[in-house]
Amino acid sequence: MNFFTHFGRYLLMIKGMMSRPENTKLYWKEFMHQCSEIGVGSLGIVSIISIFMGAVSTVQTAYQLVSPLIPLTTIAQIVRDTVILEFAPTLVCIVLAGVVGSKIASELGNMRVSEQIDALEIMGINTKTYLIMPKIAAAILMIPLLVILAMVLGIYGGRLAGTAAGILSTDTFDKGLMDNFKAYNVFFSLMKAYTFAFIISSIPAYYGYYVKGGSLEIGRSSTSSVVVSCVMILLADYVLAALLL
Amino acid sequence: MIEFKDIKKSFGPKLVLDGVSHVMETGKANLIIGSSGSGKTVLQKCLVGLLEPDEGSISYDGMNFIDMTQEHRKELRQQIGMLFQGSALFDSMTVEDNVKFPLDMFTKGNNSTKLKRVNEVLARVNLEGVNKKYPSEISGGMKKRVGIARAIVLTPKYLFCDEPNSGLDPQTSMLIDKLIYEITREFNMTTIINTHDMNSVMEIGDNILYMKDGRKEWTGNSKDIIFSKNIALNEFIFASEFLQDAKNMRMLEAEGKIDPNDIAHQ
Ligand SMILES: Nc1ncnc2c1ncn2[C@@H]1O[C@H](COP(=O)(O)OP(=O)(O)OP(=O)(O)O)[C@@H](O)[C@H]1O
Ligand SMILES: [Mg+2]
């Protein structure tokens, strides 16, 4: 199948997903379940990578800015802006594409292959609405929250590394953080987070939902879904930067 | 009553169903039999719309199923129960939740009434004490029975069973046949069963469709089958010498050449 057939079917899936739930209570339960799977389930990995990426950016920025003419507070500013603008949304979402995306694709793929999707369909349930919508909605709610957490922890990690390596004191770092702060950057970063959240949930859902074959194909489609999601994230990252900055 | 005419379905170049027509009657056990790969599962899936037939017409009590809108199909499907050949239980849910799922989705009422109903159907399929187990923790035959319980929990108008007793011991298998037959009669359902179990054919075969290579080869009921002259059917049903003997015995008995009491006394 070529790109256009995939894309067309993907759009039809999104359209087919927009229908009235058969039973609001069960859909709500499924949504809550997905929120905890996607949000709470990724807390650990997001925390770890955020702290380290903040720490590394402090140390490397300091290493690159060797001129005595540049005040130390600049290091904090650079760390703040790179973490907020790029690292927190993009890097975290790339990792989440692996963590969350592969889970969504393999869960749906398994349900397809073992005919569980058919079983739901035969009961008179719109499986696109019941299985996919709660996942996308949960991702759109939880991933931006994870990105905000990543911003905070990333900057905190940078601050820790700055003092631990004797590069700059916490006071200097905090002072740098306040300089030239643009709230727009946070807004921009959240725009990215929403876009990426949609990509991370809908593309793997597409790959999983339409799996044909057996367990081998589930693995394959889960891998492709992660690769495609990552590429789409980077593409969207560029497009958003070109449009909004 | 489900009536279908000239159903054709192929996968790529492979023609799986080659113009099958039949009427599935209400209040009866309608059996689809045929050797492995003859297209029984594909036919059932076409009837419920999980596969779209390439050609042909299907009607549910006079309603044209092929041209039905998605919304209308969804409504109709709430009256369909289906047991899949591979059971298709939701593996993230316990046995109890699997059976309760249709109730939760489509009925109102409190949890305890629902649980009561769940236990009732689980008892009918002879499954007790596994409520809290996950599908991965029970045997294949048990999964089948949970699948049946889930299919009948809402007492559907149309019941589809794909090999309800494959993988079950003869005794449980009989029990399941009886159960399906009973509820079919009791609630006047249209029940369609795929099987290659000869016991089922003889015990509950009200209306049998024998398929061969994607075509209707023979139809009739369990009494007709014994006297059928169809060679393919005979080879299929009375595959073993033992069954062949049994058939001959029945035929002689019917022709009055032997007295069944003689046999019993020997
Ligand atoms: N999705 C599919 N794609 C391609 N071919 C298929 C598909 N499903 C079934 N077939 C083919 O259709 C034929 C009939 O399959 P079907 O599953 O209906 O057999 P069956 O009568 O149910 O057999 P069994 O008794 O073993 O379950 C087989 O030759 C199979 O290879
Ligand atoms: Mg089959």
Side-chain angles (χ1 to χ4, degrees):
Chain A
M1 278 204 300
N2 65 23
F3 169 77
F4 292 102
T5 358
H6 276 298
F7 189 63
R9 205 164 59 157
Y10 170 80
L11 291 183
L12 283 178
M13 178 193 90
I14 303 284
K15 181 170 164 268
M17 187 181 91
M18 312 289 179
S19 85
R20 203 165 50 84
E22 290 83 15
N23 178 322
T24 337
K25 216 174 105 205
L26 274 197
Y27 275 70
W28 180 252
K29 205 172 127 198
E30 177 65 16
F31 171 68
M32 282 305 177
H33 173 70
Q34 292 302 331
C35 283
S36 100
E37 287 271 299
I38 294 173
V40 183
S42 320
L43 270 180
I45 180 77
V46 167
S47 308
I48 292 171
I49 57 169
S50 318
I51 292 177
F52 277 93
M53 80 191 169
V56 171
S57 38
T58 301
V59 176
Q60 293 190 351
T61 313
Y63 170 72
Q64 284 170 319
L65 294 181
V66 276
S67 160
L69 291 176
I70 301 170
L72 283 175
T73 51
T74 313
I75 295 176
Q77 273 186 56
I78 293 178
V79 169
R80 179 197 69 205
D81 287 345
T82 43
V83 165
I84 290 180
L85 279 177
E86 193 61 21
F87 284 171
T90 313
L91 196 66
V92 164
C93 285
I94 295 256
V95 172
L96 287 179
V99 181
V100 174
S102 65
K103 188 153 75 188
I104 291 180
S106 51
E107 183 189 323
L108 288 176
N110 178 44
M111 290 188 80
R112 167 64 72 198
V113 167
S114 59
E115 297 182 314
Q116 293 173 48
I117 295 187
D118 289 342
L120 284 167
E121 198 70 45
I122 227 57
M123 289 174 190
I125 294 165
N126 185 334
T127 51
K128 290 185 191 113
T129 316
Y130 180 63
L131 293 174
I132 301 175
M133 200 171 59
K135 292 190 172 61
I136 296 186
I140 288 182
L141 178 71
M142 300 311 287
I143 290 178
L145 294 178
L146 288 173
V147 168
I148 292 176
L149 176 78
M151 290 177 193
V152 174
L153 288 180
I155 292 171
Y156 180 69
R159 189 167 175 265
L160 278 185
T163 40
I167 298 167
L168 75 177
S169 70
T170 46
D171 285 345
T172 328
F173 193 92
D174 292 346
K175 189 166 168 299
L177 282 185
M178 304 301 180
D179 286 348
N180 276 323
F181 176 73
K182 286 202 223 95
Y184 180 78
N185 287 354
V186 177
F187 165 79
F188 174 63
S189 172
L190 285 178
M191 283 297 107
K192 283 189 183 183
Y194 283 112
T195 315
F196 299 164
F198 185 76
I199 293 175
I200 294 174
S201 50
S202 64
I203 292 181
Y206 170 78
Y207 274 89
Y209 189 84
Y210 288 106
V211 163
K212 275 211 175 72
S215 32
L216 205 63
E217 280 81 7
I218 299 177
R220 241 184 240 142
S221 75
S222 146
T223 311
S224 333
S225 78
V226 172
V227 173
V228 174
S229 306
C230 286
V231 173
M232 290 313 287
I233 287 175
L234 295 174
L235 199 71
D237 192 25
Y238 174 74
V239 171
L240 283 174
L243 285 180
L244 293 179
L245 281 188
Chain B
M1 188 176 81
I2 302 174
E3 194 175 357
F4 53 95
K5 281 205 189 90
D6 277 325
I7 302 286
K8 286 194 181 160
K9 176 77 190 171
S10 39
F11 293 102
K14 188 172 165 40
L15 185 62
V16 175
L17 297 178
D18 186 8
V20 192
S21 314
H22 197 56
V23 178
M24 299 300 188
E25 294 166 45
T26 306
K28 289 191 177 170
N30 301 278
L31 269 49
I32 305 176
I33 61 174
S35 52
S36 186
S38 56
K40 303 183 294 292
T41 301
V42 173
L43 178 59
Q44 256 197 20
K45 287 191 175 172
C46 284
L47 292 183
V48 294
L50 286 175
L51 291 172
E52 288 301 325
D54 302 331
E55 272 177 52
S57 65
I58 300 168
S59 84
Y60 278 73
D61 290 314
M63 290 179 291
N64 181 341
F65 184 72
I66 299 283
D67 297 332
M68 233 177 238
T69 60
Q70 280 303 322
E71 274 310 297
H72 198 166
R73 275 193 184 187
K74 249 177 75 172
E75 263 167 45
L76 176 70
R77 280 180 176 163
Q78 290 172 18
Q79 304 177 326
I80 295 180
M82 186 163 189
L83 166 72
F84 287 80
Q85 193 162 0
S87 302
L89 301 181
F90 306 129
D91 41 36
S92 59
M93 296 182 194
T94 59
V95 165
E96 183 176 286
D97 289 341
N98 261 286
V99 181
K100 195 152 81 68
F101 186 82
L103 292 171
D104 281 337
M105 190 58 100
F106 297 111
T107 65
K108 299 203 167 61
N110 59 9
N111 208 34
S112 60
T113 12
K114 288 178 189 164
L115 278 180
K116 211 173 128 234
R117 174 69 186 150
V118 168
N119 288 324
E120 201 178 293
V121 284
L122 282 175
R124 278 195 96 160
V125 294
N126 229 3
L127 262 186
E128 271 151 311
V130 294
N131 287 32
K132 298 290 173 210
K133 286 213 169 22
Y134 282 90
S136 58
E137 298 167 342
I138 58 178
S139 76
M142 286 162 132
K143 281 185 202 160
K144 268 260 133 88
R145 286 182 273 162
V146 178
I148 295 174
R150 188 178 67 183
I152 63 175
V153 72
L154 287 175
T155 39
K157 235 172 123 178
Y158 311 98
L159 179 63
F160 290 82
C161 298
D162 200 347
E163 311 209 353
N165 41 26
S166 69
L168 295 181
D169 59 277
Q171 211 174 2
T172 318
S173 166
M174 286 289 248
L175 183 116
I176 294 296
D177 282 343
K178 282 222 177 73
L179 164 71
I180 295 178
Y181 201 55
E182 266 169 34
I183 58 173
T184 302
R185 288 288 167 96
E186 196 177 329
F187 299 100
N188 204 30
M189 302 195 227
T190 307
T191 302
I192 291 142
I193 305 165
N194 281 2
T195 184
H196 15 219
D197 187 292
M198 281 319 113
N199 284 321
S200 319
V201 174
M202 292 307 171
E203 293 287 327
I204 63 173
D206 294 332
N207 175 15
I208 302 168
L209 163 64
Y210 170 54
M211 304 238 317
K212 186 165 179 280
D213 304 328
R215 265 190 294 265
K216 168 158 109 178
E217 174 81 17
W218 183 88
T219 58
N221 62 29
S222 55
K223 298 209 179 57
D224 306 333
I225 234 171
I226 297 180
F227 305 103
S228 155
K229 298 266 184 311
N230 187 309
I231 296 170
L233 178 71
N234 267 310
E235 279 174 1
F236 172 68
I237 300 271
F238 306 103
S240 69
E241 250 174 62
F242 175 74
L243 287 173
Q244 197 66 51
D245 284 350
K247 174 188 158 94
N248 293 338
M249 213 65 119
R250 274 283 179 94
M251 287 183 76
L252 288 173
E253 180 190 313
E255 288 162 14
K257 291 196 179 141
I258 47 171
D259 181 355
N261 292 324
D262 282 356
I263 303 169
H265 290 144
Q266 271 172 17

